[in-house]
Amino acid sequence: MNHILDDTHGRRTGPGVTPLAALDTASILEAYRRWAGIYDSSFGSVSAVARRRAVRAVNQLPGIDVLEVGVGTGLALPSYDQDKRITGIDLSVDMLQQARRKVAEKGLHRVEALLEMDAEATDFPDNSFDTAVAMFVASVVPHPRLLLAEMRRVVRPGGTILFVNHFAARRGPRWWVERAMAPASRALGWHPDFAVEALFAPEDLASVTLTAMPPLGIFTLAHLAN
Ligand SMILES: C[S@@+](CC[C@H](N)C(=O)[O-])C[C@H]1O[C@@H](n2cnc3c(N)ncnc32)[C@H](O)[C@@H]1O
């Protein structure tokens, strides 16, 4: 688990809740326009195991209707069970284009819709889904807590919210590397210095289950009952 620790003088000793370099909609669209063609063979493959485990967790949950937030190039789509009904949303048309191609090529009938939509303010009515899952998206969106609030709104009471993400280390060499990479956030399209507290308020953290994922625990699966 990652937490910001205060030292005995109350100073921050871990990563800041606010990342050093802000990402806005324009920089996200620009970054993923560049990523779209190479995503699957680069970050997509590094994150494959964690993504597969997240989808396995979704498949084990009750309920049919699943919202995949920030569906990207659709790497997760072939792994959902046949009895799930998947709606994928993403801000980037370039990433969605890749996802639509996969759905057509692989005949993925469990994919109900792939929609261009802002995950922080969707068009869905309250309680539309049994499950919402966001894989490697929380450290990309401009306002992670708005993302969580929107996922809570569109998932029915008793449903489940899942995230897989990289969360910044608290200290040590990894923390220094992440801090050093932070100024490149806009070019990367994600925040290397993204603290778990940027997504979860203290009252949420108390009820979230965090599980380290491969490779080397650099990703975390976060499981939250709605
Ligand atoms: C690192 S990629 C992850 C893609 C996919 N979830 C995966 O497992 O590979 C982040 C994705 O989040 C999308 N994204 C960023 N901000 C978003 C927002 N506000 N609403 C919807 N999608 C967003 C990006 O366009 C991009 O496709």
Side-chain angles (χ1 to χ4, degrees), residues 21-36:
L23 282 170
D24 52 31
T25 300
S27 56
I28 292 167
L29 290 177
E30 173 55 20
Y32 287 94
R33 186 187 60 71
R34 281 186 278 106
W35 270 115

Side-chain angles (χ1 to χ4, degrees), residues 125-148:
D126 294 355
N127 309 331
S128 296
F129 300 96
D130 300 298
T131 304
V133 58
M135 294 177 261
F136 316 103
V137 178
S139 53
V140 178
V141 298
H143 311 100
R145 288 196 184 173
L146 274 186
L147 168 71
L148 174 58

Side-chain angles (χ1 to χ4, degrees), residues 14-72:
V17 167
T18 307
L20 286 180
L23 282 170
D24 52 31
T25 300
S27 56
I28 292 167
L29 290 177
E30 173 55 20
Y32 287 94
R33 186 187 60 71
R34 281 186 278 106
W35 270 115
I38 54 165
Y39 185 87
D40 290 6
S41 55
S42 52
F43 181 79
S45 55
V46 175
S47 50
V49 177
R51 183 181 298 99
R52 256 200 317 275
R53 290 203 191 169
V55 176
R56 195 189 307 157
V58 171
N59 287 337
Q60 286 167 355
L61 290 167
I64 293 170
D65 286 306
V66 176
L67 174 64
E68 192 186 320
V69 170
V71 64

Side-chain angles (χ1 to χ4, degrees), residues 71-182:
V71 64
T73 62
L75 279 173
L77 296 174
S79 306
Y80 291 102
D81 281 351
Q82 296 290 350
D83 62 350
K84 298 292 184 192
R85 196 159 49 208
I86 316 299
T87 300
I89 61 169
D90 204 286
L91 214 50
S92 163
V93 279
D94 300 283
M95 295 290 272
L96 280 172
Q97 207 169 37
Q98 304 282 337
R100 289 185 179 126
R101 201 164 58 208
K102 278 192 191 74
V103 168
E105 280 172 9
K106 295 176 191 285
L108 301 175
H109 302 297
R110 52 201 172 280
V111 180
E112 174 103 330
L114 290 174
L115 307 168
E116 186 184 341
M117 206 182 276
D118 183 353
E120 292 183 359
T122 71
D123 297 339
F124 303 117
D126 294 355
N127 309 331
S128 296
F129 300 96
D130 300 298
T131 304
V133 58
M135 294 177 261
F136 316 103
V137 178
S139 53
V140 178
V141 298
H143 311 100
R145 288 196 184 173
L146 274 186
L147 168 71
L148 174 58
E150 185 65 356
M151 288 168 77
R152 280 194 183 284
R153 183 185 73 76
V154 301
V155 170
R156 65 170 170 78
T160 304
I161 294 169
L162 292 165
F163 293 91
V164 180
N165 221 87
H166 166 78
F167 295 116
R170 284 189 284 169
R171 62 175 85 80
R174 184 151 78 81
W175 181 69
W176 284 106
V177 171
E178 288 162 354
R179 289 281 288 194
M181 287 173 68

